[in-house]
Amino acid sequence: MFVPSSWRTRHQRYSLIGEVCPACDKHIFPPRDVCPHCEQPAGPAHKFNGTGMVFSYTTLFQPPAGFESQAPYVVALVQLDEGPMLTAQLTDVEAEEVEIGMRVEMVPRKLMEDGPQGQVHYCYKFRPLWAKAAQAGASV
């Protein structure tokens, strides 16, 4: 990933910034020029709350180039509470613990780096929502 592309997409990758269509009121992620639901110009920026559920998932044992050190890892189709579905890597959970319907939350995490001296790329990943509850319980 080049620096200009990384800079341009930082909001959607770090904060789940999408849009809400002013014509049909549907939530859109990632942001687009045209609403995929009604084909009208897309609307104002919207920050998603970052929670949702695992709609489907798979474990990658033979990942694409650049991700070999992370294998095996789980990639899920996550349906956000506001409606859009997106694909993301799951973190802070073992593959055998993942279930369809599991509640998850977005966390920004390291994705990859461009060599030992290169740019470090971060993106959204999802972890079980109970991770936040466990942290809160530990501090009580």
Side-chain angles (χ1 to χ4, degrees), residues 3 11 13 15 18 37 60 62-63 65 69 82 95-97 103 107 119 134:
V3 173
H11 295 298
R13 287 183 294 111
S15 304
H37 306 283
L60 292 175
Q62 296 183 357
S69 66
E82 293 97 331
E96 50 278 350
E97 297 172 348
R103 298 286 299 155
V107 289
Q119 179 182 10

Side-chain angles (χ1 to χ4, degrees), residues 16 48-55 77-86 90 99-106 126-130:
L16 287 184
F48 290 92
N49 70 14
T51 58
M53 65 155 211
V54 173
F55 185 82
L77 186 57
V78 175
Q79 182 162 26
L80 297 175
D81 290 341
E82 293 97 331
M85 272 198 217
L86 52 93
L90 297 185
E99 298 176 354
I100 292 176
M102 173 186 278
R103 298 286 299 155
V104 292
E105 64 182 340
M106 189 278 294
F126 284 81
R127 69 178 177 195
L129 192 57
W130 46 259

Side-chain angles (χ1 to χ4, degrees), residues 68-129:
E68 297 89 354
S69 66
Q70 299 178 35
Y73 60 90
V74 179
V75 174
L77 186 57
V78 175
Q79 182 162 26
L80 297 175
D81 290 341
E82 293 97 331
M85 272 198 217
L86 52 93
T87 304
Q89 186 176 345
L90 297 185
T91 187
D92 301 339
V93 64
E94 297 298 323
E96 50 278 350
E97 297 172 348
V98 179
E99 298 176 354
I100 292 176
M102 173 186 278
R103 298 286 299 155
V104 292
E105 64 182 340
M106 189 278 294
V107 289
R109 293 288 168 86
K110 180 179 175 180
L111 178 64
M112 61 187 293
E113 52 187 88
D114 295 331
Q117 301 294 324
Q119 179 182 10
V120 177
H121 300 280
Y122 292 87
C123 72
Y124 56 81
K125 293 184 181 184
F126 284 81
R127 69 178 177 195
L129 192 57

